[in-house]
Short mmCIF file of all heavy atoms in Angstrom, two decimals:
data_model
loop_
_atom_site.label_atom_id
_atom_site.label_comp_id
_atom_site.label_asym_id
_atom_site.label_seq_id
_atom_site.Cartn_x
_atom_site.Cartn_y
_atom_site.Cartn_z
N ARG A 213 -3.02 -7.54 -13.20
CA ARG A 213 -3.97 -8.32 -13.99
C ARG A 213 -4.81 -9.19 -13.06
O ARG A 213 -4.32 -9.64 -12.02
CB ARG A 213 -3.19 -9.20 -14.97
CG ARG A 213 -3.96 -9.56 -16.22
CD ARG A 213 -3.12 -10.43 -17.14
NE ARG A 213 -3.04 -11.80 -16.66
CZ ARG A 213 -1.93 -12.51 -16.64
NH1 ARG A 213 -0.78 -12.00 -17.04
NH2 ARG A 213 -1.94 -13.75 -16.20
N HIS A 216 -9.95 -14.79 -13.70
CA HIS A 216 -11.04 -15.34 -12.90
C HIS A 216 -11.57 -16.63 -13.52
O HIS A 216 -11.78 -16.69 -14.72
CB HIS A 216 -12.16 -14.28 -12.80
CG HIS A 216 -13.44 -14.81 -12.28
ND1 HIS A 216 -14.66 -14.48 -12.81
CD2 HIS A 216 -13.71 -15.69 -11.27
CE1 HIS A 216 -15.62 -15.10 -12.16
NE2 HIS A 216 -15.07 -15.84 -11.23
N TYR A 234 -3.56 2.45 -6.76
CA TYR A 234 -3.82 2.70 -8.17
C TYR A 234 -4.59 1.54 -8.81
O TYR A 234 -5.50 1.74 -9.60
CB TYR A 234 -2.49 2.93 -8.88
CG TYR A 234 -2.62 3.21 -10.36
CD1 TYR A 234 -3.35 4.30 -10.82
CD2 TYR A 234 -1.99 2.38 -11.29
CE1 TYR A 234 -3.45 4.56 -12.18
CE2 TYR A 234 -2.10 2.65 -12.65
CZ TYR A 234 -2.83 3.73 -13.08
OH TYR A 234 -2.94 3.99 -14.42
N LYS A 306 -5.06 -12.70 11.13
CA LYS A 306 -6.00 -13.11 12.19
C LYS A 306 -7.43 -13.01 11.68
O LYS A 306 -8.35 -13.58 12.24
CB LYS A 306 -5.84 -12.21 13.42
CG LYS A 306 -4.56 -12.46 14.18
CD LYS A 306 -4.52 -11.57 15.41
CE LYS A 306 -3.15 -11.60 16.04
NZ LYS A 306 -2.82 -10.34 16.69
#
Side-chain angles (χ1 to χ4, degrees):
Chain A
R213 206 180 76 224
H216 167 222
Y234 180 59
K306 288 183 191 149

